[in-house]
């Protein structure tokens, strides 16, 4: 920030600082230094005062020292030569009888962060480790870590490391925790502190003395410890048991994390018991006043539910959204609600979700509709009723999401297709965005025989194909028209002809054109071949049912507990997919195998243009099946779709 | 739990083998770094303060945050955790300010968020509020506080009592004295608290008037649906204490009905063992103001709903306007008067204006934010306040689909709505007789009525 009169101010301050009268009067001297700091915080460059400030450092006034240190630490890197002067003063301060001064000097000495000064700092730091005042030792211990980060490649002094290890037995709990922190940083390459039995037991015994931050730190380090006997393990667990109910959420989470890492492999039953025990505090954190805390707690509740589905079923009301809650919390809450649905509460949950569907924020509304769709896998009738009702609102963004949700629902619940087909009539007018229209086209194509108006809707689409921008819609339109042609040739033949003509003759997008060419040639091969390519599966119920999904073993996710991992998929749907979903079952390569012969008699697999288009046409089902392993299709961001299809091509073509 | 443990103990015998076989493959890597840097950002998106505990990280790292802020509809909608190629950004939004921390490696998120909140609370404690102006005015103190609270990115001294011994909070009087005499806020004495056996209380406290006050403050969070049934309700309570007692007093506070409380959480000074065994709070208090405990009451039948709102908001099919009719009345107030009643309605986008008449209080409608605020004040049970009239809609706009929701703010003095009552307060360890006082207040937290 340019500051008018900055140079003037600096000059004036310099004059004041070097004025012997000011220097003689401690109060005036201090206030001048304070003015320098104020000016510095306003963004004026006061680096020119460096030498004056170094002189001002040689004082008995602690307050003035503090102020000068603030200045020196900010400008030291600009004046490495002059900072040598500071070091002398600081080293002298390290021998001051006042422990406060000693710790201040030591802390600031390490905060200068100048590699050239390292040799001068080592000696006072070593002395600081043996200081009789705890506050000096606290600073000295961390000082070694800072020193190490200045020269990350320098050899580690074994004597220092040993000293730090022995200081884990220090009387002061903060010194102990700081030792852990310093060792973790210094020994990063070797995987942190080596936790043996003696250290682990010592840390556990001192746990109570530490403050909450220290407790978290210790519990984190202990995750690396493996008890030697079952006896020992249970002793540790009993000792830690009260911490599971700790009033501090971070401590509770760290304890649970330790429980999981100790037990998840050998003793799944104990980890489940620990999870049940921790659900109370976790639920309380979900109602915390801080939205950030709430969000993190919700993400961890989701983790818990992966192993204990339906655990908090009776607490579902706690996950109802408030009007003023941030969107990211609402979306997480809905994801949790979906997991908690059971026979008793499904009505209430659906009523609640229905209310969110008309939310002012389109994102929230979309999340609510997708949530209803997911519940629909288990309770299809009730959900379809709500979804159909939403179509009646004729709201653009709602209709689009509803159609996409219906598409996903039909794929896993074939019994719904009847009512979905009925609901679809007339909604094409409200659809504007490409995602929604693609979903509609897919539904029309696959269930063209049941939607009476299907050929005419397609015809309307074909008439506007020239003004269509999205290539995805065009390819979907091609496939859908082909499929409807197969079941209702008389009504569709003319439309299909016009569409193929347009796509082959006028279309600029290569993919669309290739696909049109492919279909054109396919039709030449005969109706049976065409049918075998285009009429794949209409649904895959094996991916459905949400309720009664098998519980995952805790070890699947134990390592990501209390890390940033569960929070990361902020916007992507974090539905925990069943890991055991049969990959090859959904990916049925047969149709494409049949086809490679008539189309590519030369067996030239390198000629990929048409092949790609071919697969894109038929791979859609497989692609969708694939998607369902990762989560509901609506949650996958648009641009990743074609990439995924190409991805799929590899295994198919290689067979 | 202990029973559970024993059962498993017998059931699983092969544990040690499986444990040792897994010993080497995947030991968790523990985070070695905590908060690297802190940026303070106002709601307009300007960084006005930065503090680096390790090396300096350029402001450009915040660009990811600003991008997320652009995408969010409201400032509070910005996701609290963002991932950038080299860092994680964890932010909290409080008092219209973002506190954005930069972290280089994996870290426990709850820990970082809690620590950030602690920083904000310390600022509030020191300066009375936490706003951009206040932070800028006290920038030297702020830097000094941040320097003391964290060292190398790790929390160092976060107890306000200890901090206050090292850095004096500014007061208006002292600020004036400082400018006149040129002294500053730093304490010259050695902080004895850091060396005392009880970390939250300094030794040698002296008062001429010995007093201990406790405020029981309860907030009702509730969602009431159209028909007046309570969908969910819970009470969030805190007990704020102001203890000014000489020496090392040992206090015991007991309740008439401690079984009411769920999910209690205490100040570290409270002896948890005694709470578990006898349901009393036994503690050596910190000096000055602190939060003794916070708690939830969840059981729905225990949560009394103090007021009801009869509402009828409808829009004409033609789309030209609508009608609004609100009546508020007391429900379960335990014989106390409801004060400070304010009803806030978030109207649909299409509502342009409102011409209403209120039998009590005054109303305002802000056409920009679409918020109708009806400030009623004290609720008179004999003459229920009513607000009615017509709403005008944007010409040509369709009939709004989304229903407005109603938020209620209120206050009831001398009542803890959960029924919690302090029984007695005893002091041990000191000879004098302290002055004791307990106050109760009930407020509406997130109290919402749907239409």
């Amino acid at each position: 920030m340019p500051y008018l009169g900055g140079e003037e101010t600096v000059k004036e301050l310099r004059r004041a600082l070097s004025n012997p009268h000011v220097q003689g009067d401690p109060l005036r001297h201090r206030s001048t230094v304070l003015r320098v700091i104020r000016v510095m915080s306003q963004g004026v460059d006061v680096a020119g005062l460096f030498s004056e400030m170094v002189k001002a450092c040689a004082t008995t006034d602690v307050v003035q020292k503090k102020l000068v240190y603030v200045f020196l630490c900010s400008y030291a890197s600009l004046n490495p030569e002059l900072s040598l002067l500071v070091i002398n003063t600081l080293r002298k301060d390290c021998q001051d009888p006042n422990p406060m001064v000693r710790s201040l000097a030591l802390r600031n000495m390490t905060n200068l962060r100048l590699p050239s000064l390292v040799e001068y700092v080592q000696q006072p730091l070593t002395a600081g480790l043996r200081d009789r005042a705890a506050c000096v030792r606290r600073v000295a211990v961390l000082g070694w870590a800072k020193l190490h980060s200045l020269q990350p490649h320098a050899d580690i002094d074994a004597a220092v490391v040993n000293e730090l290890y022995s200081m884990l037995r220090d009387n002061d709990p903060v010194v102990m925790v700081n030792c852990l922190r310093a060792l973790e940083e210094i020994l990063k390459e070797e995987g942190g502190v080596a936790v043996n039995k003696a250290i682990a037991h010592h840390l556990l015994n001192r746990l109570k003395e530490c403050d909450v931050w220290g407790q978290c730190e210790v519990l984190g380090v202990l995750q690396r410890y493996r008890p030697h006997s079952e006896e020992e393990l249970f002793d540790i667990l009993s000792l830690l048991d009260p911490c599971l109910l700790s009033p501090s959420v971070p401590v509770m989470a760290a304890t649970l994390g330790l429980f999981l890492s100790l037990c998840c492999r050998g003793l799944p039953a104990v980890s489940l018991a620990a999870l049940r025990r921790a659900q109370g505090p976790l639920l309380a954190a979900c109602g915390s006043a801080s939205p950030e805390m709430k969000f993190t707690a919700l993400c961890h509740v989701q983790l818990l539910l992966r192993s204990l589905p339906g655990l908090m079923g009776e607490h579902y009301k706690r996950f109802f959204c408030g009007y003023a809650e941030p969107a990211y919390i609402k979306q997480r809450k809905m994801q949790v609600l979906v997991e908690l649905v059971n026979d008793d509460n499904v009505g209430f949950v659906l009523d609640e979700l229905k209310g969110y569907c008309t939310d002012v924020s389109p994102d929230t509304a979309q999340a609510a509709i997708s949530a209803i769709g997911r519940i629909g896998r288990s309770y299809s009738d009730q959900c379809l009723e709500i979804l159909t009702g939403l179509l009646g609102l004729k709201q653009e963004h709602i209709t689009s999401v509803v159609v996409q949700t219906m598409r996903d629902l039909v794929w896993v619940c074939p019994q719904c297709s009847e009512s979905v087909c009925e609901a679809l009539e007339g909604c094409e007018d409200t659809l504007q965005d490409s995602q929604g229209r693609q979903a509609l086209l897919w539904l029309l194509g696959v269930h063209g025989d049941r939607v009476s108006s299907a050929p005419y809707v397609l015809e309307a689409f074909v008439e506007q194909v020239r003004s269509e921008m999205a290539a995805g819609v065009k390819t979907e339109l091609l496939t859908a028209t082909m499929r409807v042609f197969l079941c209702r040739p008389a009504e569709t033949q003319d439309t299909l002809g016009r569409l193929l003509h347009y796509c082959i003759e006028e279309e600029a997008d290569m993919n669309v054109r290739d696909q049109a060419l492919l279909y054109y040639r396919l039709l030449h091969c005969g109706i049976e071949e065409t049918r075998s390519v285009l009429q794949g599966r209409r649904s895959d119920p094996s991916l459905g049912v949400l309720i009664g999904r098998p519980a995952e073993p805790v070890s699947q996710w134990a390592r990501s507990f209390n890390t940033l991992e569960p929070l990361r998929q902020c916007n992507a749907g974090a539905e925990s997919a069943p890991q055991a979903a049969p990959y090859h079952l959904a990916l049925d390569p047969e149709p494409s195998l049949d086809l490679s012969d008539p189309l590519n008699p030369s067996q030239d697999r390198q000629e990929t243009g048409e092949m790609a288009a071919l697969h894109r046409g038929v791979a859609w089902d497989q692609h969708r099946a694939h998607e369902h392993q990762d989560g509901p299709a609506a949650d996958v961001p648009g641009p990743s779709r074609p990439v995924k299809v190409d991805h799929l091509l590899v295994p198919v073509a290689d067979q | 739990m202990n029973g559970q443990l024993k059962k498993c103990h017998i059931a699983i015998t092969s544990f040690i083998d499986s444990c040792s076989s897994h010993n080497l493959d995947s030991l968790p890597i523990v985070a070695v770094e905590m908060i690297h840097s802190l940026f303070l950002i106002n709601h307009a998106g300007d960084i006005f303060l930065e503090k680096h505990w390790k090396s300096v990280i350029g402001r450009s790292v915040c660009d990811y945050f600003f991008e997320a802020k652009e995408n969010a509809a409201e400032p509070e909608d910005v996701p609290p955790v963002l991932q950038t190629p080299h860092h994680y950004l964890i932010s909290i939004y409080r008092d219209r300010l973002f506190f954005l921390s930069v972290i280089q490696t994996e870290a426990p998120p709850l820990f970082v968020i809690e620590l950030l909140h602690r920083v904000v609370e310390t600022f509030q404690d020191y300066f009375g509020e936490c706003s951009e102006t206040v932070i800028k005015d006290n920038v030297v103190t702020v830097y000094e506080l941040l320097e003391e609270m964290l060292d190398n990115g790790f929390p160092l001294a976060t107890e306000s009592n200890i901090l206050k011994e090292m850095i004096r909070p500014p007061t208006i009087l002292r600020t004036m004295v400082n400018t006149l005499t040129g002294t500053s806020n730093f304490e010259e004495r050695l902080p004895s608290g850091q060396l005392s056996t009880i970390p939250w209380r300094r030794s040698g406290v002296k008062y001429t008037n010995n007093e201990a006050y406790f405020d029981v403050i309860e907030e009702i969070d509730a969602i009431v649906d159209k028909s007046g049934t309570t969908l969910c309700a819970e009470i969030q309570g805190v007990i704020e204490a102001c203890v000014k007692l000489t020496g090392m007093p040992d206090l015991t506070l007991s309740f008439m009905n401690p079984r009411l409380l769920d999910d209690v959480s205490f100040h570290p000074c409270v002896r948890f063992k005694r709470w578990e065994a006898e349901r009393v709070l036994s503690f050596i208090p910190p000096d000055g103001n602190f939060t003794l405990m916070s708690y939830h009451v969840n059981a729905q039948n225990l949560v009394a709903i103090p007021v009801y709102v009869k509402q009828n908001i409808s829009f004409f099919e033609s789309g030209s306007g609508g009608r609004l009719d609100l009546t508020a009345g007391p429900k379960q107030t335990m014989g106390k008067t409801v004060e400070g009643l304010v009803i806030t309605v978030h109207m649909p986008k299409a509502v342009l204006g409102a011409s209403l008449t209120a039998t009590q209080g005054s109303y305002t409608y802000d056409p920009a934010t679409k918020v109708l605020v009806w400030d009623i004040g004290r609720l008179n049970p004999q003459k229920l306040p009513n607000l009615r009239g017509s709403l005008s809609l944007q010409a040509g706009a369709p009939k709004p689909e989304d229903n407005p929701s109603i938020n209620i703010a209120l206050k009831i003095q001398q009542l803890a709505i959960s029924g919690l009552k302090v029984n007695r307060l005893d002091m041990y360890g000191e000879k004098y007789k302290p002055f004791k006082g307990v106050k109760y207040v009930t407020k509406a937290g997130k109290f919402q009525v749907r239409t």
Side-chain angles (χ1 to χ4, degrees):
Chain A
M1 176 173 37
Y3 183 81
L4 275 178
E7 266 175 52
E8 270 310 302
T9 322
V10 173
K11 245 185 227 164
E12 194 217 309
L13 284 170
R14 177 176 298 135
R15 222 176 300 130
L17 280 173
S18 42
N19 182 342
H21 292 297
V22 172
Q23 285 174 357
D25 179 354
L27 280 184
R28 274 176 77 194
H29 202 180
R30 189 202 284 176
S31 72
T32 319
V33 173
L34 185 65
R35 263 173 64 211
V36 175
I37 305 293
R38 275 200 196 286
V39 170
M40 182 179 103
S41 70
Q42 283 161 4
V44 180
D45 182 17
V46 282
L49 295 173
F50 200 85
S51 50
E52 280 81 8
M53 289 297 269
V54 170
K55 277 182 215 143
C57 188
T59 166
T60 51
D61 182 0
V62 182
V63 177
Q64 184 170 331
K65 263 186 204 301
K66 258 190 179 178
L67 293 173
V68 176
Y69 290 157
V70 171
F71 175 90
L72 295 179
C73 288
S74 340
Y75 286 107
S77 50
L78 299 174
N79 289 288
E81 300 88 36
L82 281 176
S83 11
L84 269 176
L85 292 175
V86 194
I87 276 292
N88 273 328
T89 328
L90 286 171
R91 283 181 60 139
K92 215 166 73 208
D93 284 349
C94 285
Q95 331 234 298
D96 197 279
N98 184 345
M100 181 78 175
V101 174
R102 292 202 299 273
S103 72
L104 254 182
L106 211 52
R107 172 159 2 132
N108 285 286
M109 205 186 274
T110 46
N111 278 355
L112 289 173
R113 297 187 190 279
L114 290 172
S116 58
L117 297 181
V118 168
E119 46 180 323
Y120 304 97
V121 178
Q122 273 170 344
Q123 191 267 326
L125 269 185
T126 316
L129 287 182
R130 298 187 192 116
D131 201 289
R132 74 202 137 68
C135 58
V136 181
R137 294 200 300 274
R138 292 174 184 178
V139 173
V141 167
L142 274 188
W144 282 106
K146 293 186 208 166
L147 217 57
H148 177 74
S149 67
L150 270 183
Q151 318 169 286
H153 302 297
D155 283 339
I156 303 159
D157 188 350
V160 171
V161 172
N162 280 339
E163 177 110 35
L164 288 176
Y165 266 117
S166 68
M167 283 182 75
L168 285 174
R169 302 210 170 272
D170 197 284
N171 289 330
D172 185 73
V174 180
V175 174
M176 177 185 88
V177 174
N178 277 1
C179 273
L180 275 185
R181 291 166 174 161
L183 283 170
E184 285 282 287
E185 195 154 330
I186 295 171
L187 302 175
K188 204 186 209 164
E189 307 273 288
E190 300 164 27
V193 186
V195 191
N196 61 21
K197 190 170 173 177
I199 293 181
H201 287 209
H202 172 70
L203 290 177
L204 281 165
N205 287 330
R206 304 266 318 254
L207 192 63
K208 283 238 157 58
E209 297 168 34
C210 307
D211 58 357
V212 285
W213 319 112
Q215 291 186 2
C216 294
E217 205 86 29
V218 170
L219 291 167
V221 170
L222 283 174
Q223 287 202 8
R224 278 199 307 258
Y225 179 63
R226 291 281 167 261
H228 297 292
S229 72
E230 215 172 307
E231 207 76 41
E232 190 191 350
L233 174 79
F234 282 103
D235 282 347
I236 295 177
L237 294 186
S238 321
L239 192 71
L240 288 175
D241 192 50
C243 294
L244 266 188
L245 295 179
S246 162
S248 150
V249 187
V251 174
M252 184 275 294
T255 315
L256 188 54
L258 180 56
F259 257 77
L260 297 181
S261 88
L262 286 175
C263 311
C264 69
R265 288 206 183 80
L267 300 166
V270 180
S271 4
L272 291 184
L275 293 185
R276 287 209 181 84
R277 199 157 153 77
Q279 68 157 323
L282 208 52
L283 268 175
C286 288
S288 137
S290 142
E292 297 84 13
M293 198 61 105
K294 229 188 234 179
F295 172 74
T296 320
L298 282 171
C299 296
H300 282 96
V301 165
Q302 281 185 302
L303 272 186
L304 241 70
L305 289 176
R306 279 168 65 175
S307 287
L308 292 167
L311 172 66
M312 303 177 185
E314 72 268 34
H315 297 296
Y316 66 97
K317 282 190 176 169
R318 294 253 196 131
F319 299 98
F320 283 5
C321 304
Y323 178 82
E325 276 175 332
Y328 59 86
I329 288 192
K330 287 188 184 167
Q331 285 167 21
R332 284 282 168 169
K333 280 194 168 172
M334 286 184 229
Q335 287 170 7
V336 174
L337 274 177
V338 170
E339 305 271 331
L340 295 185
V341 164
N342 58 32
D343 288 342
D344 300 327
N345 61 22
V346 62
F348 298 106
V349 171
L350 283 177
D351 264 357
E352 183 70 18
L353 286 172
K354 195 171 144 188
Y356 308 152
C357 291
T358 46
D359 195 280
V360 268
S361 148
D363 286 339
T364 308
Q366 182 174 348
I369 296 168
S370 317
I372 294 179
R374 297 236 295 282
I375 296 176
R377 294 182 197 176
S378 314
Y379 300 97
S380 45
D381 293 343
Q382 283 143 292
C383 294
L384 269 178
E385 198 178 304
I386 296 176
L387 291 175
T388 318
L390 288 171
L391 283 179
L393 293 177
K394 302 264 175 215
Q395 294 261 338
E396 198 181 306
H397 67 278
I398 295 181
T399 310
S400 163
V401 186
V402 170
V403 173
Q404 290 173 53
T405 308
M406 284 180 161
R407 172 195 65 189
D408 296 337
L409 194 58
V410 166
W411 179 254
V412 287
C413 301
Q415 73 274 16
C416 305
S417 48
E418 201 70 52
S419 21
V420 166
C421 291
E422 271 172 40
L424 281 181
E425 305 270 356
C427 68
E428 68 275 1
D429 302 328
T430 0
L431 279 175
Q432 295 297 324
D433 69 322
S434 61
Q435 292 289 337
R437 281 181 299 161
Q438 280 185 48
L440 176 69
L441 286 170
W442 186 85
L443 280 167
L444 287 177
V446 173
H447 299 286
D449 46 345
R450 297 199 218 161
V451 187
S452 55
S453 65
Y456 311 103
V457 176
L458 288 176
E459 191 172 358
F461 268 97
V462 170
E463 267 160 27
Q464 288 157 16
V465 75
R466 258 169 245 276
S467 52
E468 179 57 59
M469 300 301 285
V473 175
K474 288 185 212 171
T475 47
E476 200 62 68
L477 179 61
L478 270 169
T479 315
T481 319
M482 284 292 284
R483 281 180 172 152
V484 176
F485 172 70
L486 289 176
C487 56
R488 298 161 76 170
E491 292 161 287
T492 327
Q493 189 177 9
D494 177 54
T495 317
L496 179 64
R498 275 189 290 152
L499 180 63
L500 284 177
H501 182 266
Y502 164 79
C503 287
I504 293 169
E505 297 292 329
E506 296 177 46
E507 178 55 45
D509 188 290
M510 265 305 144
N511 274 336
V512 179
R513 187 169 168 274
D514 272 353
Q515 195 172 3
L517 270 176
L518 163 82
Y519 286 150
Y520 183 68
R521 290 176 198 168
L522 197 55
L523 287 169
H524 278 288
C525 295
I527 199 73
E528 279 318 307
E529 274 82 359
T530 317
R531 205 181 290 279
S532 69
V533 171
L534 279 165
Q535 289 194 328
R537 323 169 51 150
R538 289 177 166 195
S539 62
D540 187 355
S542 68
L543 293 166
V545 189
L546 200 70
I547 308 300
R549 205 166 55 183
E552 269 179 78
V554 180
S555 52
Q556 291 271 7
W557 52 266
R559 295 195 60 194
S560 60
F561 189 83
N562 202 20
T563 66
L564 294 167
E565 182 76 32
L567 286 76
R568 210 167 287 159
Q569 319 103 323
C570 262
N571 298 316
E575 186 202 17
S576 47
Q579 297 288 317
Y583 179 81
H584 45 85
L585 189 143
L587 196 112
D588 185 1
E590 268 172 4
S592 54
L593 273 183
D594 292 348
L595 260 170
S596 54
D597 288 339
L599 266 175
N600 270 338
S602 60
Q603 295 292 318
D604 183 3
R605 300 267 165 129
Q606 298 305 310
E607 203 246 297
T608 49
E610 284 179 20
M611 277 303 289
L614 164 69
H615 290 308
R616 198 157 293 132
V618 293
W620 173 229
D621 295 341
Q622 299 155 5
H623 158 53
R624 294 183 40 68
H626 187 64
E627 246 173 23
H628 272 276
Q629 292 178 350
D630 299 337
D635 290 338
V636 178
S640 75
R641 286 195 170 182
V643 180
K644 271 201 163 171
V645 176
D646 288 341
H647 203 65
L648 256 171
L649 280 178
V650 183
V652 175
D654 280 350
Q655 280 167 14
Chain B
M1 184 76 191
N2 274 333
Q4 282 274 16
L5 288 181
K6 284 201 190 90
K7 218 162 49 193
C8 304
H9 194 146
I10 301 159
I12 287 138
T13 46
S14 64
F15 167 67
I16 304 169
D17 305 333
S18 63
C19 183
S20 51
S21 67
H22 283 294
N23 221 349
L24 295 170
D25 53 6
S26 55
L27 293 176
I29 303 297
V30 173
V32 291
E33 283 182 44
M34 279 293 160
I35 297 181
H36 202 114
S37 302
L38 177 73
F39 292 93
L40 265 57
I41 300 168
N42 64 17
H43 72 281
D46 301 318
I47 304 172
F48 64 93
L49 191 123
E50 55 187 293
K51 167 80 190 162
H52 306 275
W53 282 279
K54 307 190 113 198
S55 52
V56 175
I57 293 179
R59 288 186 170 198
S60 58
V61 72
C62 297
D63 291 350
Y64 295 94
F65 172 79
F66 293 134
E67 198 185 315
K69 187 168 172 287
E70 283 296 297
N71 294 336
E74 300 287 331
E76 52 262 41
D77 284 346
V78 182
V81 178
L82 297 168
Q83 192 180 4
T84 77
H86 302 291
H87 304 96
Y88 294 101
L89 306 178
I90 300 187
S91 60
I92 61 167
Y93 182 70
R94 275 186 69 166
D95 300 330
R96 288 162 64 78
L97 296 179
F98 290 100
F99 290 75
L100 177 81
S101 60
V102 183
I103 287 159
Q104 266 187 329
T105 50
E106 185 65 66
L110 288 163
F111 184 99
V112 179
I113 290 172
E114 175 99 351
L115 188 55
L116 290 175
H117 280 296
R118 187 67 71 90
V119 170
V120 179
E121 277 148 25
T122 307
F123 288 172
Q124 280 170 345
D125 190 26
Y126 262 75
F127 313 125
E129 55 169 333
C130 181
S131 68
E132 190 182 350
T133 358
V134 160
I135 290 176
K136 277 182 172 166
D137 285 349
N138 296 289
V139 75
V140 179
T141 317
V142 166
Y143 270 115
E144 205 54 22
L145 276 175
L146 291 175
E147 182 74 17
E148 289 294 344
M149 289 186 79
L150 292 109
D151 189 11
N152 210 26
F154 295 112
L156 192 66
T158 53
E159 265 305 318
S160 110
N161 261 291
I162 294 172
L163 281 171
K164 279 192 180 152
E165 282 188 46
M166 291 190 277
I167 304 158
R168 271 197 219 149
T171 60
I172 296 172
L173 184 69
R174 197 171 303 132
T175 320
M176 273 169 60
V177 174
N178 284 351
T179 38
L180 290 176
T181 63
T183 47
S184 87
N185 296 320
F186 303 110
E187 186 61 58
E188 284 160 71
R189 282 180 301 129
L190 166 76
S192 50
Q194 277 196 322
L195 304 170
S196 102
T197 43
I198 298 159
W200 56 83
R201 188 176 178 92
R202 62 192 163 98
S203 45
V205 186
K206 271 214 166 60
Y207 287 103
T208 41
N209 294 324
N210 289 296
E211 30 189 33
Y213 298 107
F214 296 90
D215 288 357
V216 180
I217 304 167
E218 298 198 335
E219 293 196 350
I220 310 168
D221 289 353
I223 302 178
V224 177
D225 80 356
K226 225 181 282 204
S227 57
T229 13
T230 312
L231 277 183
C232 59
E234 69 176 346
I235 294 171
Q236 317 242 20
V238 287
I239 300 184
E240 301 277 1
C242 173
V243 176
K244 292 181 175 171
L245 297 175
T246 308
M248 275 286 170
D250 196 333
L251 303 179
T252 308
L253 183 83
S254 60
F255 297 104
M256 307 273 261
N257 36 14
R259 309 265 157 208
L260 276 177
L261 310 174
D262 302 320
D263 307 329
V264 281
S265 123
F266 299 114
H267 189 277
C269 69
V270 176
R271 299 181 181 103
F272 191 57
K273 280 260 157 63
R274 283 203 65 190
W275 168 257
E276 281 200 313
E278 306 164 47
R279 298 274 147 179
V280 294
L281 299 181
S282 156
F283 55 99
I284 294 175
D287 187 36
N289 296 315
F290 63 99
T291 304
L292 180 63
M293 71 181 287
S294 60
Y295 57 89
H296 293 231
V297 178
N298 296 314
Q300 295 239 340
N301 44 0
L302 286 180
V303 181
I305 303 291
V307 292
Y308 69 86
V309 174
K310 253 202 304 210
Q311 42 78 25
N312 185 13
I313 303 175
S314 56
F315 298 100
F316 305 133
E317 277 308 326
S318 60
S320 55
R323 292 204 59 78
L324 177 142
D325 189 340
L326 294 178
T327 311
K331 210 169 166 184
Q332 296 159 282
T333 57
M334 325 266 176
K336 306 276 196 234
T337 341
V338 177
E339 295 167 23
L341 186 61
V342 178
I343 293 180
T344 313
V345 189
H346 293 261
M347 289 292 182
K349 276 189 208 138
V351 177
L352 274 188
S355 74
L356 310 165
T357 36
T359 57
Q360 186 189 339
S362 59
Y363 80 94
T364 50
Y365 180 69
D366 181 355
T369 53
K370 310 287 178 202
V371 176
L372 172 74
V373 181
W374 179 25
D375 189 343
I376 300 170
R378 183 186 289 262
L379 182 64
N380 180 0
Q382 268 76 50
K383 196 169 156 286
L384 298 183
N386 172 274
L387 177 75
R388 76 171 79 194
S390 59
L391 303 169
S392 58
L393 289 182
Q394 216 167 346
K399 185 180 169 228
E401 288 298 339
D402 39 351
N403 298 319
S405 78
I406 299 172
N407 288 332
I408 299 173
L410 58 87
K411 204 170 174 184
I412 307 174
Q413 300 283 7
Q414 292 310 322
L415 172 72
I417 196 95
S418 66
L420 186 73
K421 273 221 160 68
V422 173
N423 186 20
R424 54 183 296 140
L425 178 75
D426 298 309
M427 187 182 74
Y428 305 94
E430 296 289 336
K431 291 272 178 315
Y432 56 86
K433 248 192 142 34
F435 185 79
K436 303 174 276 193
V438 181
K439 230 166 62 181
Y440 301 92
V441 172
T442 297
K443 295 176 191 167
K446 290 166 219 138
F447 193 138
Q448 184 184 335
V449 178
R450 292 179 180 169
T451 60

